[in-house]
Amino acid sequence: QVQLVESGGGLVQAGGSLRLSCAASARTLELYAMGWFRQAPGKEREFVAAHSGSGISGSALTYYADSVKGRFTISRDNAKTMVYLEMSSLEPEDTAVYYCAASRFAAQTMATRKTMDYWGSGTLVTVSS
């Protein structure tokens, strides 16, 4: 069982920045692809970003939704079992509850996979205009 706890959400003005954190209870976080999703009021949950972990090659792969490319950056620290989402140039359309997720499957599948192995409970990000 893996527990994921998000933090770092809050109220920010348009154009501002926030860093979300996800603390994972897993001692072997490197076994999972990690991702961020979000759900805006009245909308379905959508993919934001995914991180593959370093793997055997030592090189990590990251994936982003088109709407956040160039503005958001996902990173992870397996030693600290933490995953981060750096968000900049925030827009009111980024207002949502942001969820951290862990998947045993490849990171590139997180954008289309409906189910994850573990979900956090979410943290609210509100961007004012």
Side-chain angles (χ1 to χ4, degrees), residues 38 48 64 68 70-73 85-88 90 94 98:
R38 67 186 182 186
V48 174
Y64 297 92
V68 306
R71 301 188 298 122
F72 290 13
T73 302
L85 185 68
E86 297 274 1
M87 306 185 295
S88 63
L90 284 162
D94 295 316
Y98 284 72

Side-chain angles (χ1 to χ4, degrees), residues 71-104:
R71 301 188 298 122
F72 290 13
T73 302
I74 187 172
S75 61
R76 63 193 285 171
D77 184 333
N78 286 337
K80 296 181 180 179
T81 64
M82 295 291 294
V83 183
Y84 305 99
L85 185 68
E86 297 274 1
M87 306 185 295
S88 63
S89 301
L90 284 162
E91 304 166 353
E93 293 74 23
D94 295 316
T95 294
V97 176
Y98 284 72
Y99 298 91
C100 179
S103 174
R104 292 168 294 163

Side-chain angles (χ1 to χ4, degrees), residues 2-71:
V2 176
Q3 291 185 326
L4 303 174
V5 179
E6 303 94 336
S7 62
L11 175 64
V12 63
Q13 287 188 330
S17 301
L18 275 178
R19 185 175 87 154
L20 304 183
S21 299
C22 172
S25 65
R27 289 186 291 177
T28 54
L29 189 64
E30 61 268 22
L31 296 179
Y32 297 92
M34 299 300 298
W36 288 92
F37 292 75
R38 67 186 182 186
Q39 186 167 19
K43 295 186 178 181
E44 291 188 355
R45 185 152 49 187
E46 64 176 4
F47 168 77
V48 174
H51 193 294
S52 66
S54 297
I56 298 174
S57 68
S59 299
L61 297 175
T62 56
Y63 304 89
Y64 297 92
D66 288 342
S67 59
V68 306
K69 279 181 183 177
R71 301 188 298 122

